[in-house]
Amino acid sequence: MPKMTMAQALARYMAAQWTIIDGEEKSLFAGVFAIFGHGNVAGFGQALAEIGNTLPTYRAHNEQAMAHAAIAFAKASNRRRMMACTSSIGPGATNMVTAAALAHVDRLPLLLLPGDIFANRRPDPVLQQIENFSDPTISANDCFKPVSRYWDRITRPEQLLASLPQAMRVLTDPADCGPVVLSLPQDVQAEAGEYPESFFERRIHHPRRPGPDDRELSQALAALRKAKAPFIIAGGGVHYSEAAATLADFAERHGMPVGETQAGKGALPWTHALNMGSIGVTGSAASNELVRKADVILAIGTRLQDFTTGSQALWSADAKLIQLNVAAFDAGKQNALSLVADAKAGLAAIDKALGDWHAPAAWTKRASAARDSWQAVIDKVTAPPKGNALASDAQVLGAVNRKAGPSDIMVCAAGGLPGELHKLWRTVDSRGYHLEYGFSCMGYEIAGGLGVKMAFPDRRVVVMVGDGSYLMMNSELATSVMMGLKLDVVLLNNRGYGCINRLQQSVGDKPFNNLLPDNAPEIDFAAHARSLGAEAETVGSIAELERAFDRAKKSSRSHVIVIETDPAISTREGGAWWDVPVAETAKREQVRKARVGYVEATTRRDDR
């Protein structure tokens, strides 16, 4: 048996994992993002340098950001390919905990390989070691346990033989998919062990497509056949199952309108006659009107978070909910009829059994009218402002949407922009809309754009980001320039956290600690972006933005466009109630009034 270090065995095993995409074999791991330190440079760093481009290594500027890029790559690849990230011990490792939480919430594959303290403990405490006063086996990497789907600490080289197959099981399983953390003590990384040659044989991973149980399928069919007002909620599972075309055929054949979650948006092109648009708190008036009247709701590949369900108040308690989901954990939520299956396989089984069943013509006609009304709303709120008024977020995204090409990919996360984009963005491509809203993580945007560009280097990637998120994490703009992976960034400057400022006022409070005060410095975002190597400019109107967006397309490197926006405006049309608790006692009269409204709303929800 060949003898090699644990780190060398890990790198070689990763390089032997393959997948098939569109009939072409591709490496499962597109590479490793690495920021080296004393906890990984001499072990895993040596192994990565030795293996070379067989398992490419990419340098980043921030550990959390590089993990976000890896997550975005996996999301853009519909979980068919993924990346790994390695850091030193201490802050390098804990910087990635937020990213692990994001991947856990969004059910996305991410392999994290943080360095760890010495397994032999001889030099304890080492630089950056966190000492637990009562348990010497605990290190900073134990912070990953609550946000990992699989966690292990490799304290002997031969433990890879058992741990790596389990890691691959989680990373490639559609139901268990999520972040895997393998903590690598720095002394063990450099220790040699013997591994059988068979451990490194080329392995091709095929996505599992479990079909539905006959009994569960029969229950779902019985409910659908009785439906007078059926409605479909399309979640991210539609994309991960690559079931967009299947969903379109199913909806057309049975006349069922479709609403889309943030993760599910783009499952149908916006031009599809049965696409009612977004659903929930940031939903379209069309989707929310129809789901309120629905008697049967078929939810596909969604975990039904509160933004989708309107804090479980959006639809009638009498409506029959069918949860088609590959994960039994999600399929059993909210007293649903559980239908555990892959989205594509499950839809195909329902379709075959329903035969020529079709929703009542009056219901489909009502959906068509609601859709037309909502499209008119989009046209109105995204039109350029009149006069010299500051643009709203909706007007900015409208301009970008009008100028973007059909193959462009829009990337965003957190703040007020995702709500506007969910309601108003129009995409004809199933991969044209990339939102991180499960964890709603500020700072994901530019790093996420980098990961999307790595997945689709030949497509234009447009990042939309607010000034608050940009200031939280912008370092990978420099990485995009360094790697020659061009991003077009539209930076909306409303001088603070405009979304939360509006939320604060909606519960009766006065603005406090969200927008920058008048004496705060005027930040020259364009100058800052240029200092990171990007091209950048500031524009003063929607017309200037549209011209700048065309110029950005011709740029040879990442291009940032800055525009000032009004923090007070958001799209009032559409939407649904969201449970945000209001203080039960307060000095401010507006808060006391808001509390009365909150109690009434929760009572209506609970009395459904």
Side-chain angles (χ1 to χ4, degrees), residues 260-495:
E260 299 173 316
T261 70
Q262 280 281 17
K265 190 173 173 73
L268 296 183
W270 77 269
T271 52
H272 195 286
L274 289 166
N275 186 350
M276 301 297 111
S278 58
I279 187 169
V281 175
T282 54
S284 73
S287 277
N288 287 348
E289 171 198 330
L290 291 165
V291 80
R292 287 187 181 103
K293 299 297 183 182
D295 57 358
V296 176
I297 300 165
L298 176 59
I300 307 170
T302 171
R303 62 193 184 93
L304 292 181
Q305 62 129 311
D306 64 342
F307 254 62
T308 300
T309 67
S311 298
Q312 300 191 29
L314 183 55
W315 52 79
S316 169
D318 295 327
K320 187 69 70 175
L321 175 64
I322 303 167
Q323 266 276 59
L324 169 56
N325 202 296
V326 73
F329 178 84
D330 292 312
K333 288 178 177 175
Q334 298 191 24
N335 198 34
L337 289 178
S338 176
L339 187 58
V340 179
D342 166 79
K344 191 171 187 176
L347 275 175
I350 297 172
D351 184 41
K352 182 178 179 181
L354 282 179
D356 59 0
W357 179 89
H358 195 282
W363 176 248
T364 307
K365 183 178 180 181
R366 178 174 181 170
S368 179
R371 182 188 183 283
D372 290 345
S373 295
W374 182 248
Q375 293 304 316
V377 169
I378 295 178
D379 290 337
K380 181 185 73 173
V381 300
T382 60
K386 296 179 180 179
N388 296 320
L390 284 177
S392 67
D393 290 356
Q395 290 162 341
V396 171
L397 75 85
V400 174
N401 207 173
R402 288 189 295 271
K403 300 297 289 185
S407 66
D408 292 355
I409 303 173
M410 191 281 305
V411 180
C412 187
L417 269 173
E420 301 291 71
L421 290 161
H422 193 207
K423 284 183 180 182
L424 308 172
W425 187 264
R426 289 163 163 166
T427 182
V428 295
D429 189 294
S430 65
R431 294 182 177 179
Y433 182 88
H434 183 110
L435 252 289
E436 193 300 292
Y437 208 60
F439 206 49
S440 184
C441 189
M442 294 181 72
Y444 174 92
E445 295 89 344
I446 290 173
L450 175 64
V452 173
K453 188 67 174 181
M454 293 178 76
F456 294 104
D458 296 329
R459 295 176 66 166
R460 188 182 190 186
V461 175
V462 179
V463 175
M464 298 194 71
V465 60
D467 57 305
S469 269
Y470 180 89
L471 287 173
M472 280 193 179
M473 191 172 296
N474 51 61
S475 56
E476 301 328 297
L477 185 61
T479 306
S480 75
V481 175
M482 177 180 69
M483 295 177 66
L485 294 171
K486 178 179 178 291
L487 305 175
D488 289 332
V489 179
V490 179
L491 195 165
L492 292 77
N493 179 15
N494 62 19
R495 288 185 58 80

Side-chain angles (χ1 to χ4, degrees), residues 81-106:
R81 299 185 77 201
M82 62 196 69
M83 300 186 75
C85 298
T86 181
S87 74
S88 184
I89 74 169
T94 55
N95 275 353
M96 299 193 294
V97 173
T98 296
L102 189 157
H104 193 289
V105 169
D106 291 350

Side-chain angles (χ1 to χ4, degrees), residues 87-393:
S87 74
S88 184
I89 74 169
T94 55
N95 275 353
M96 299 193 294
V97 173
T98 296
L102 189 157
H104 193 289
V105 169
D106 291 350
R107 319 289 168 82
L108 292 169
L110 172 68
L111 178 58
L112 297 179
L113 304 167
D116 209 334
I117 58 179
F118 278 66
N120 63 33
R121 302 190 199 168
R122 283 199 298 263
D124 285 9
V126 297
L127 179 65
Q128 299 181 333
Q129 179 173 346
I130 295 174
E131 295 178 272
N132 184 285
F133 288 14
S134 61
D135 187 348
T137 68
I138 290 178
S139 79
N141 288 340
D142 287 82
C143 295
F144 286 104
K145 287 182 177 178
V147 292
S148 302
R149 296 304 294 266
Y150 182 81
W151 185 97
D152 195 6
R153 177 175 282 121
I154 308 300
T155 58
R156 293 295 308 144
E158 60 270 21
Q159 289 174 356
L160 286 181
L161 294 169
S163 191
L164 282 177
Q166 289 298 321
M168 295 309 305
R169 173 189 61 79
V170 172
L171 291 168
T172 60
D173 186 271
D176 287 344
C177 188
V180 167
V181 177
L182 299 181
S183 298
L184 308 179
Q186 50 196 298
D187 53 338
V188 181
Q189 290 180 45
E191 289 179 12
E194 292 184 338
Y195 300 87
E197 194 63 44
S198 59
F199 189 61
F200 306 110
E201 289 179 355
R202 181 187 181 98
R203 175 168 296 187
I204 298 177
H205 296 268
H206 299 275
R208 188 178 295 120
R209 289 195 183 277
D213 172 77
D214 289 342
R215 181 187 55 80
E216 290 189 341
L217 178 60
S218 295
Q219 290 179 334
L221 289 168
L224 284 167
R225 289 185 178 120
K226 295 177 183 177
K228 303 300 181 186
F231 190 83
I232 296 171
I233 300 175
V238 175
H239 291 293
Y240 301 147
S241 179
E242 299 187 336
T246 304
L247 173 62
D249 291 343
F250 181 90
E252 291 165 14
R253 190 152 31 248
H254 304 295
M256 295 174 65
V258 179
E260 299 173 316
T261 70
Q262 280 281 17
K265 190 173 173 73
L268 296 183
W270 77 269
T271 52
H272 195 286
L274 289 166
N275 186 350
M276 301 297 111
S278 58
I279 187 169
V281 175
T282 54
S284 73
S287 277
N288 287 348
E289 171 198 330
L290 291 165
V291 80
R292 287 187 181 103
K293 299 297 183 182
D295 57 358
V296 176
I297 300 165
L298 176 59
I300 307 170
T302 171
R303 62 193 184 93
L304 292 181
Q305 62 129 311
D306 64 342
F307 254 62
T308 300
T309 67
S311 298
Q312 300 191 29
L314 183 55
W315 52 79
S316 169
D318 295 327
K320 187 69 70 175
L321 175 64
I322 303 167
Q323 266 276 59
L324 169 56
N325 202 296
V326 73
F329 178 84
D330 292 312
K333 288 178 177 175
Q334 298 191 24
N335 198 34
L337 289 178
S338 176
L339 187 58
V340 179
D342 166 79
K344 191 171 187 176
L347 275 175
I350 297 172
D351 184 41
K352 182 178 179 181
L354 282 179
D356 59 0
W357 179 89
H358 195 282
W363 176 248
T364 307
K365 183 178 180 181
R366 178 174 181 170
S368 179
R371 182 188 183 283
D372 290 345
S373 295
W374 182 248
Q375 293 304 316
V377 169
I378 295 178
D379 290 337
K380 181 185 73 173
V381 300
T382 60
K386 296 179 180 179
N388 296 320
L390 284 177
S392 67
D393 290 356

